[in-house]
Amino acid sequence: MHIIGGMNTLPIYRETVIEVNLDRIAYNMEQIRAMVGKDVKIAAVVKANGYGHGAVGIAPAIMEHGGDLLCVATLTEAIELKETYPEYPVLIMGLTPKEGFPAVLDYNILQTIDTLDQAKALASLARKRGAAAGIHIKYDTGFHRIGFPDNPESYRAIEEISRMEGLKIEGIFSHLVLLDDESNRRQYEAFCRAVKALRERGVVLPCCHLADSIASVDYPEYRMDMIRAGAIIYGLKGFHKGRLDVRQALTFKTKINHITEIKAGEGVSYDFMWRTERDTRIGTLPFGYADGYPRNLRGKAKVTIRGKQVPVVGVLCMDQCMVDLGDVPEAQIGDEVIIYGDGTGNTLDIQAISVLAETNKNDIVARLSARPARIYLKDGKM
Ligand SMILES: *Cc1c(COP(=O)(O)O)cnc(C)c1O
């Protein structure tokens, strides 16, 4: 079997795989489109290898079901997409070192800009090629990560950028802290003030955007011209107030590849952090923290075998981990193991895993490494 993307262009000789249901991604996109209506654009955030789902593998399902733009964090991520899909518009939401600007132009990638200096460098390079680079301006309304600071000096700088030959401002955006209603409103108002002031100076700003997944569901009033949706595309629901029916697309699975019988009092894995109180069978599973499974799940993790939840025991290793099969006497080598699924069939879903690992859902999937092959289901088939 051959799979697209990264390390996975080689044949798969491993049972640990990430199965991505493209019908669910398509369904989620359609739900998001229905939620925002036809006048708001959807920028689909596929950074960090599409939140672990495989950016190249999921991009068509996104773009054929309502996506207007793909957003990534880095130039390398953008190039990976453009190599496969030159026609899909791609925005890098992070900053790119100037050394990367030639590639930004080669691939016709939209670049985020937040200083005059970057703008000048990109513009001069573009002019030499007789081209115009599409950019989005990042404006800081309080997150204090990147962006022009919120002051009149920035208005002057952005106005100057808008007049530069070799650049075309295609949008301006900011990002919400999501502290509370009051803080969101303050950021939104600061952003609107800046947009208004810039337009009064004659700056053309075709696309203003502020809302991520949570904001676009919980605060419809902040959707503006475009939303930047990440989590909800993958069926991860971090929102609290609004409603949106999206479904988790990813299942992480493997197979039992070894079974050992041990006696009461014997331990398992490094430092014998776990010992059995009864005679039991230990199943070995060929996945570990190098695949992106949180190592801090020791003592908390459960996987699903034959519809039963089974505890992962002992310290998680880099490439393997062990489960206590004491309560599943029928389990055999080769049995399917759901590491995490969508919650059906007595599986833990990503939400449940994130709670156990004391982190958020995005972190659980973004950390999935390149090692497990991605397998795509479409129309219910591989
Ligand atoms: C990652 C990111 C998003 C998407 O966030 P979700 O919470 O997954 O929707 C949106 N905007 C920016 C700037 C981001 O970095």
Side-chain angles (χ1 to χ4, degrees), residues 248 297 347-358 361 364:
Q248 195 186 298
L297 284 178
T347 58
L348 293 183
D349 64 6
I350 291 167
Q351 157 71 18
I353 291 285
S354 73
V355 170
L356 293 176
E358 296 174 51
K361 293 178 280 297
I364 295 299

Side-chain angles (χ1 to χ4, degrees), residues 363-374:
D363 178 26
I364 295 299
V365 286
R367 68 167 70 203
L368 287 167
S369 73
R371 193 165 69 176
R374 272 61 173 177

Side-chain angles (χ1 to χ4, degrees), residues 43-45 47 51 71-73 93-94 138 145-146 173-175 178 209-216 227-234 236 362:
V45 181
K47 62 193 178 190
Y51 291 44
C71 292
V72 294
M93 300 183 295
K138 184 72 185 275
R145 186 167 59 180
I146 59 170
F173 70 112
S174 194
H175 196 63
L178 295 174
H209 47 115
L210 178 66
D212 65 359
S213 290
I214 291 175
S216 55
I227 62 164
R228 299 186 305 272
I232 49 178
I233 296 174
Y234 309 101
L236 306 176
N362 284 358

Side-chain angles (χ1 to χ4, degrees), residues 51-294:
Y51 291 44
H53 295 61
V56 169
I58 61 175
I62 289 171
M63 296 304 280
E64 288 160 19
H65 294 271
D68 294 292
L69 176 67
L70 298 171
C71 292
V72 294
T74 72
L75 176 56
T76 313
E77 292 172 340
I79 292 174
E80 192 191 14
L81 285 165
K82 280 290 195 180
E83 281 279 343
T84 320
Y85 312 109
E87 71 283 11
Y88 291 165
V90 176
L91 167 67
I92 301 174
M93 300 183 295
L95 302 177
T96 296
K98 286 176 197 156
E99 296 72 32
F101 286 173
V104 167
L105 293 169
D106 289 345
Y107 287 95
N108 197 19
I109 293 164
L110 298 163
Q111 175 60 51
T112 292
I113 293 289
D114 80 343
T115 64
L116 203 47
D117 197 43
Q118 297 155 11
K120 284 178 181 160
L122 185 58
S124 98
L125 200 63
R127 277 196 307 271
K128 279 187 203 136
R129 300 179 177 208
I135 61 169
H136 282 233
I137 299 288
K138 184 72 185 275
Y139 198 80
D140 182 10
T141 52
F143 200 104
H144 296 151
R145 186 167 59 180
I146 59 170
F148 279 96
D150 184 22
N151 61 42
E153 213 170 297
S154 295
Y155 300 170
R156 279 191 291 279
I158 297 165
E159 184 186 346
E160 189 178 333
I161 293 171
S162 74
R163 306 234 156 92
M164 281 180 193
E165 213 182 304
L167 292 186
K168 182 173 183 296
I169 298 181
E170 298 205 355
I172 184 166
F173 70 112
S174 194
H175 196 63
L176 291 173
V177 174
L178 295 174
L179 171 67
D180 55 30
D181 292 358
E182 169 65 20
S183 121
N184 293 338
R185 194 176 46 76
R186 242 182 283 124
Q187 283 191 270
Y188 172 70
E189 285 172 359
F191 188 49
C192 290
R193 240 184 343 265
V195 168
K196 183 161 174 281
L198 288 164
R199 284 180 171 155
E200 279 165 8
R201 286 164 176 262
V203 179
V204 178
L205 299 168
C207 181
C208 304
H209 47 115
L210 178 66
D212 65 359
S213 290
I214 291 175
S216 55
V217 182
D218 284 347
Y219 302 95
E221 63 275 29
Y222 302 153
R223 287 177 197 154
M224 307 183 80
D225 300 318
M226 179 164 84
I227 62 164
R228 299 186 305 272
I232 49 178
I233 296 174
Y234 309 101
L236 306 176
K237 304 179 187 180
F239 49 85
H240 322 283
K241 302 182 182 200
R243 286 176 57 86
L244 177 68
D245 178 40
V246 287
R247 300 176 185 174
Q248 195 186 298
L250 185 146
T251 302
F252 192 15
K253 55 197 216 179
T254 189
K255 288 182 180 167
I256 300 176
N257 73 351
H258 182 88
I259 293 180
T260 315
E261 294 187 10
I262 65 169
K263 296 270 179 253
E266 289 194 283
V268 167
S269 192
Y270 293 113
D271 298 323
F272 282 166
M273 297 291 274
W274 180 86
R275 287 176 190 273
T276 180
E277 291 171 358
R278 56 178 176 178
D279 294 359
T280 191
R281 292 194 313 152
I282 296 298
T284 302
L285 314 180
F287 77 96
Y289 62 82
D291 295 297
Y293 191 74

